[in-house]
Amino acid sequence: MVPAAVALAVLAVLSGCGADTGTTARDTPAATAPAGGAPGTAHTAPGPGDATPGPAGAAQGPAGTAARTPSPARIPGLGPRTRAWIPATARQVVVVTGRGKDANRSEVVLYQHTGSGWEGGPAWPARNALKGWTDDHWAGDLRSPIGVFTLTDAGGLLPDPGTELPYDRSEGFAVGGTGFEGEPLEGSFDYVIAIDYNREPGTSPLDPTRPLGAGRGGGIWLHVDHQGPTQGCVSLSERHMEELLRTLDPDRHPVIVMGDAGSLSR
């Protein structure tokens, strides 16, 4: 086993969970970079989550039976500031809600727009950065950035599980050593979805380009859980990463909304 001190020294050279080496550029055009707002966030006009809710109560079906409850017009738990950051084109929203500003446990729910409202999937347990969350992320602060970010690119050590996202299978995703709690890191990057914080959309998650400068960190990914807190990423079980990869559709303009519950409610 690699000593924890050595593993942490290796991890210290990474700006997030992902290494800044092994770049593989894509042939597809880069997605439009988000404009305005906090660094790296997609800060746009209010999206479909800001639609006016319909009348309260479920409609009645034949013979007085209750029809299916309509999908909510707004994603639960998100306040007006956070909703305003969601692009109007987004029809898939991955919501990562942290337990607290300084907590490294969270939950993930994928919401999909049905045309009349947002339908949420099951809540999946997740982990985030060791020291929790921040509105002002810098390299090495061991906090995950709060905000709304596009999801445009994926990759991993394992073959493409059937995602519609551009997928870069590469040995560059191999990782070893141990994490903050002595847990093995091997397999953490078997599946990865790049979070478009301080990166160039339309490139491999391994691309080291940092538009805001290296000091603002980067390499922030969704990846496989290694049973311990992360450097800045969000981690899920391998099964849930596979499911997410198979569900996300570039034509539905997926984004991730991430932060502690208090920050997201603003």
Side-chain angles (χ1 to χ4, degrees):
M1 177 182 291
V2 178
V6 175
L8 290 177
V10 172
L11 288 174
V13 305
L14 308 181
S15 57
C17 298
D20 286 337
T21 57
T23 302
T24 304
R26 300 200 184 284
D27 295 325
T28 53
T32 303
T41 57
H43 185 183
T44 68
D50 289 297
T52 305
Q60 296 295 306
T65 353
R68 182 177 177 183
T69 304
S71 300
R74 293 180 176 176
I75 296 174
L78 305 185
R81 184 193 70 164
T82 304
R83 292 197 307 271
W85 284 350
I86 299 175
T89 55
R91 290 298 179 268
Q92 290 180 320
V93 177
V94 179
V95 178
V96 183
T97 307
R99 294 182 182 177
K101 194 69 178 282
D102 300 321
N104 54 51
R105 294 295 188 102
S106 46
E107 77 170 22
V108 171
V109 177
L110 171 62
Y111 287 88
Q112 303 197 68
H113 203 273
T114 63
S116 59
W118 291 99
E119 185 174 297
W124 296 332
R127 299 175 200 261
N128 51 274
L130 177 70
K131 295 184 178 180
W133 301 91
T134 180
D135 284 304
D136 187 26
H137 178 64
W138 289 83
D141 66 9
L142 298 181
R143 290 182 179 270
S144 298
I146 297 169
V148 177
F149 310 97
T150 51
L151 298 172
T152 54
D153 305 283
L157 190 62
L158 296 182
D160 182 350
T163 184
E164 294 295 322
L165 295 173
Y167 189 88
D168 177 24
R169 185 189 183 189
S170 170
E171 292 297 321
F173 291 102
V175 63
T178 54
F180 293 109
E181 297 179 355
E183 76 281 5
L185 298 177
E186 185 177 1
S188 301
F189 304 153
D190 281 355
Y191 294 122
V192 159
I193 300 169
I195 295 169
D196 291 342
Y197 168 83
N198 197 18
R199 69 177 298 272
E200 186 65 40
T203 62
S204 166
L206 295 171
D207 186 353
T209 305
R210 301 288 178 256
L212 301 174
R216 297 311 301 260
I220 306 296
W221 297 345
L222 283 156
H223 65 70
V224 176
D225 183 27
H226 47 74
Q227 302 302 309
T230 72
Q231 294 274 313
C233 298
V234 174
S235 64
L236 294 164
S237 73
E238 185 159 325
R239 177 169 63 89
H240 292 148
M241 278 298 297
E242 278 192 81
E243 186 173 341
L244 192 57
L245 279 163
R246 290 179 180 137
T247 305
L248 292 181
D249 180 355
D251 291 337
R252 306 200 75 198
H253 307 286
V255 300
I256 187 168
V257 178
M258 52 193 278
D260 61 284
S263 295
L264 296 186
S265 69
R266 297 203 294 263

